[in-house]
Amino acid sequence: MVFAGTLVLGFGWMVFPFDIQMVWTVFAQAILFSLALSVLGMDLLRLWKTKAFMPRWYVPVFVPVWVAIGLADLQKAYECMRVAGQL
């Protein structure tokens, strides 16, 4: 369910017209980057506080996916801004 939500958030802009694509990609990349950083930070704090050995399973699974999709959305946002004349 998390992966499906990530894909809808990350690539949902494909079905919309160009002006909505720019807003969607900027919004999605901001959410995905902040989600990845907050999950990584919370798990690192948990590891440090509890002296645990391994991160939880979703950290190495979802954080790279969120960062990769966020980078793809960031590239699309720059492309949309360049075409719209904002860069």
Side-chain angles (χ1 to χ4, degrees):
M1 187 181 324
V2 173
F3 190 67
T6 299
L7 289 178
V8 167
L9 179 65
F11 298 114
W13 51 264
M14 291 183 178
V15 297
F16 290 105
F18 183 74
D19 54 345
I20 297 174
Q21 284 184 7
M22 184 169 54
V23 175
W24 186 293
T25 54
V26 170
F27 180 70
Q29 64 90 16
I31 287 178
L32 290 170
F33 283 153
S34 64
L35 184 63
L37 287 175
S38 65
V39 166
L40 191 61
M42 286 183 353
D43 202 58
L44 286 175
L45 277 174
R46 184 190 63 84
L47 290 173
W48 177 62
K49 287 284 195 181
T50 62
K51 307 287 191 252
F53 177 66
M54 290 286 293
R56 296 202 172 142
W57 67 270
Y58 53 82
V59 175
V61 171
F62 287 123
V63 168
V65 171
W66 291 332
V67 169
I69 293 175
L71 287 173
D73 281 345
L74 185 62
Q75 180 182 8
K76 178 65 177 175
Y78 278 133
E79 179 184 322
C80 289
M81 286 183 198
R82 193 175 315 115
V83 169
Q86 294 184 1
L87 287 179

